[in-house]
Amino acid sequence: DRIEKAIMYIKEAKGNVKMQEVAQRVHLSDRQFQRLFKTKTGYTPKEYGQVIRFRIALIELFFEEQNYQDVVFENGYFDQSHLFKDFYKLLEQSPEQFKRYINQIEHLLLTTIS
């Protein structure tokens, strides 16, 4: 299916790909691609790409403990504030709030295991 191929291309590019290029690769017009992608996934291609890119950045920041500077530039963000905007848009919280949340979960898991 063409949309599944498009999803694969977006994931391989870590969300950093022009959606017009993806549409061409799966042999759809921009409008057809937008419509079919939204119908199949519930997201526009651009939204999906943003989620994929942000997911990778989260993993690198909080689970692989990379620094902000590296994560920002390796994942196609213009600067740190661009990454922070995605935090607020997608998680509705700051990176610091998210880190506290992750640490709290980790603490609760360690407490229940011990």
Side-chain angles (χ1 to χ4, degrees):
D1 165 85
R2 291 191 263 187
I3 299 304
E4 288 175 12
K5 285 181 184 176
I7 289 169
M8 182 184 70
Y9 292 139
I10 294 168
K11 284 182 175 180
E12 285 173 357
K14 298 181 179 182
N16 288 314
V17 63
K18 292 183 188 268
M19 295 308 152
Q20 188 176 30
E21 179 183 321
V22 177
Q24 289 172 350
R25 290 184 81 175
V26 296
H27 308 289
L28 291 169
S29 71
D30 289 342
R31 181 68 189 122
Q32 282 180 308
F33 177 57
Q34 295 278 333
R35 187 177 43 77
L36 290 172
F37 197 96
K38 175 94 174 180
T39 300
K40 183 139 186 163
T41 67
Y43 294 98
T44 66
K46 183 178 178 180
E47 289 169 336
Y48 186 78
Q50 288 174 326
V51 168
I52 294 299
R53 178 174 65 173
F54 183 69
R55 180 177 170 266
I56 292 166
L58 276 180
I59 290 168
E60 290 174 355
L61 279 173
F62 297 107
F63 301 104
E64 295 175 2
E65 299 180 5
Q66 294 183 26
N67 70 46
Y68 278 105
Q69 234 17 20
D70 292 340
V71 171
V72 164
F73 294 110
E74 288 175 13
N75 290 291
Y77 288 99
F78 298 116
D79 54 26
Q80 198 168 348
S81 67
H82 187 201
L83 172 62
F84 285 10
K85 284 180 186 176
D86 274 0
F87 263 95
Y88 289 108
K89 179 181 177 182
L90 298 171
L91 296 180
E92 298 178 349
Q93 56 187 296
S94 71
E96 293 77 25
Q97 290 169 317
F98 183 74
K99 187 170 187 167
R100 281 194 301 271
Y101 175 72
I102 293 298
N103 288 337
Q104 181 182 16
I105 291 172
E106 192 172 30
H107 173 73
L108 291 174
L109 286 174
L110 292 175
T111 304
T112 56
I113 293 173
S114 298

